[in-house]
Amino acid sequence: MQNKINTLKPDLLQKIEQANNLTALDEIRVAALGKNGAITVLMKELGTLPVEEKKQAGQVLNVFKTEIANTLEAKKKKLEEAEMNAKLASQKVDVTLPVRPNSVGRIHPVSQVMEEMLTIFAQMGFDLAEGPDIEDDWHNFEALNIPPSHPARQMQATFFMEGDSDKILRTHTSGVQIRTMENKKPPIKIVAPGRVYRVDYDATHTPMFHQIEGLVIDKTTNLAHLKGVLEEFLKLFFETDDVKLRFRPSFFPFTEPSYEADVGGSLAKSIGKEWIELLGCGMVHPNVLKNCGIDPNEYQGFAFGCGIDRFAMLKYGIPDLRNMFDADMRWIKHYGFLPTDIPTITSGLSLTAGSKK
Ligand code: DAH
């Protein structure tokens, strides 16, 4: 045994010494200590020795085996360290390289203005409601007191879904009024922003645009409340106390009386006008309340609806609505906002039942 070890040992130690990478070293390990390795074979041979030799040979062989294992381990550590050093040397970071051009995005003015509006309404205690873009006839028209033959339908030419005449792209956010009242008993105080669709295209009309709807229903809610809410909102939104509000009698099937609200004061003057038409509003029609299972003898309220894009154009001096949806990076860089400009108070808004159906 000692003889065999004497020949094996220098050979193994030399090979370990000369191994210059981890793969080569592992091959040596397998050749020595693996299943059929030289030392493993010697271990097996122990069993064939006479008892009196076995003990001593066993001890010698164990010492040898440990020595080889330790030498292998030490070499392995050395090689790993060398490999790491080589890696560090070759993959040096050149901190003098110029940085990559950064491309911080911008918040679209419509998103920005939507946030600003919601923030103000949240401060006034309004909840947030939502409805689907693909609406049915009942919520978009009929429940809003617009029967199939009503001429008001012509004012809002929409897109129909092929194969299902009851599915349309909503023409206004007013349908969320219905969804909210169907799901929740008064008192109700919601705003509902979102995309709406109509067959229109010119400098102030695009087939897709954005509206925000307001609805307040309670026992004594009246026109004075509506005027107060709108006036306060306009002052906060346009950041000026010089806001004049004018209600002009108008017609909407879902309100009675109905008004167009115009804004005057410095804002209108800034674009050379005395009044700017801003939004539609009125007292919710008793038929609409009835359609939602609310007793008009017990409850009443107001509603309003306006174009978010229009507010964005007014506040930030954007001349053509169509550019808003062109996805032109030059336009977005000019009119867009950095993320830090977004107010964050809307996280306090709670979602009402309107969105569930
Ligand atoms: N839905 C109307 C439109 O799209 C706007 C509107 C008018 C909404 C009067 C209302 C309202 O809630 O009371 O033109």
Side-chain angles (χ1 to χ4, degrees):
M1 183 59 69
Q2 190 63 57
N3 286 347
K4 286 182 180 164
I5 290 175
N6 285 348
T7 29
L8 197 53
K9 189 171 167 176
D11 180 48
L12 268 179
L13 288 177
Q14 193 190 11
K15 278 187 178 151
I16 293 172
E17 173 64 30
Q18 284 169 358
N20 55 11
N21 62 57
L22 287 167
T23 324
L25 186 69
D26 201 54
E27 275 164 18
I28 299 165
R29 182 190 61 78
V30 173
L33 301 168
K35 219 164 135 205
N36 298 312
I39 297 178
T40 314
V41 171
L42 289 184
M43 297 296 268
K44 282 179 192 156
E45 270 176 28
L46 271 184
T48 64
L49 292 180
V51 185
E52 50 292 1
E53 278 178 42
K54 207 187 256 178
K55 194 178 168 206
Q56 209 239 338
Q59 275 176 359
V60 175
L61 188 55
N62 262 332
V63 170
F64 173 52
K65 189 180 167 187
T66 311
E67 186 185 351
I68 293 300
N70 289 344
T71 315
L72 278 166
E73 196 51 37
K75 180 73 180 184
K76 190 174 165 204
K77 279 211 178 105
K78 234 179 169 176
L79 286 174
E80 278 173 347
E81 214 178 287
E83 269 185 22
M84 177 58 84
N85 286 337
K87 230 185 209 171
L88 285 176
S90 68
Q91 299 179 352
K92 223 172 12 185
V93 175
D94 184 351
V95 292
T96 65
L97 278 177
V99 293
R100 292 202 188 93
N102 81 6
S103 58
V104 174
R106 292 287 197 285
I107 311 284
H108 195 283
V110 170
S111 308
Q112 167 79 14
V113 162
M114 203 186 282
E115 282 291 321
E116 291 177 12
M117 292 174 125
L118 290 176
T119 302
I120 294 167
F121 284 117
Q123 284 169 336
M124 291 185 185
F126 280 77
D127 282 332
L128 176 69
E130 286 180 315
D133 286 21
I134 300 174
E135 200 36 293
D136 52 45
D137 195 87
W138 168 256
H139 291 100
N140 196 77
F141 292 124
E142 203 144 352
L144 287 162
N145 207 26
I146 315 174
S149 57
H150 199 284
R153 289 207 179 197
Q154 257 95 67
M155 285 158 53
Q156 300 190 359
T158 184
F159 299 93
F160 289 86
M161 298 284 151
E162 225 170 318
D164 188 349
S165 61
D166 193 40
K167 292 267 174 291
I168 54 170
L169 292 181
R170 64 177 176 186
T171 57
H172 52 184
T173 42
S174 301
V176 187
Q177 288 187 32
I178 305 300
R179 289 182 176 273
T180 305
M181 289 189 283
E182 282 174 342
N183 283 296
K184 188 181 185 296
K185 291 289 148 236
I188 288 170
K189 198 173 173 192
I190 57 113
V191 277
R195 283 181 292 269
V196 299
Y197 307 83
R198 288 188 206 173
V199 186
D200 275 327
Y201 193 65
D202 61 38
T204 52
H205 297 90
T206 49
M208 187 279 305
F209 59 106
H210 302 80
Q211 286 191 335
I212 186 165
E213 192 82 13
L215 176 72
V216 177
I217 306 284
D218 209 340
K219 294 203 163 147
T220 58
T221 306
N222 59 50
L223 268 183
H225 295 140
L226 169 62
K227 204 162 183 193
V229 164
L230 289 180
E231 216 167 77
E232 186 66 13
F233 166 74
L234 292 174
K235 284 181 183 168
L236 291 167
F237 180 77
F238 289 110
E239 297 169 35
T240 169
D241 275 339
D242 184 16
V243 160
K244 281 197 200 118
L245 193 61
R246 177 174 81 173
F247 276 18
R248 262 182 304 116
S250 182
F251 172 77
F252 297 102
F254 34 91
T255 41
E256 183 58 39
S258 304
Y259 301 95
E260 304 264 0
D262 301 336
V263 66
S266 55
L267 180 71
K269 277 194 206 94
S270 72
I271 58 165
K273 291 192 171 170
E274 196 178 346
W275 296 101
I276 304 169
E277 191 182 314
L278 262 193
L279 52 87
C281 59
M283 294 300 290
V284 177
H285 197 291
N287 288 351
V288 174
L289 294 174
K290 271 188 238 161
N291 286 338
C292 303
I294 293 176
D295 182 359
N297 293 316
E298 198 183 345
Y299 289 103
Q300 57 185 40
F302 65 76
F304 59 87
C306 53
I308 295 175
D309 323 68
R310 203 178 156 69
F311 273 77
M313 289 168 83
L314 269 176
K315 184 165 177 177
Y316 295 111
I318 299 169
D320 194 319
L321 179 67
R322 289 169 295 195
N323 299 141
M324 288 215 185
F325 312 117
D326 281 347
D328 184 333
M329 285 312 289
R330 292 164 304 177
W331 186 90
I332 265 283
K333 276 217 167 109
H334 183 80
Y335 287 108
F337 295 81
L338 289 168
T340 45
D341 296 329
I342 278 264
T344 52
I345 301 169
T346 44
S347 53
L349 282 169
S350 60
L351 205 60
T352 69
S355 56
K356 296 290 172 336
K357 247 180 150 187

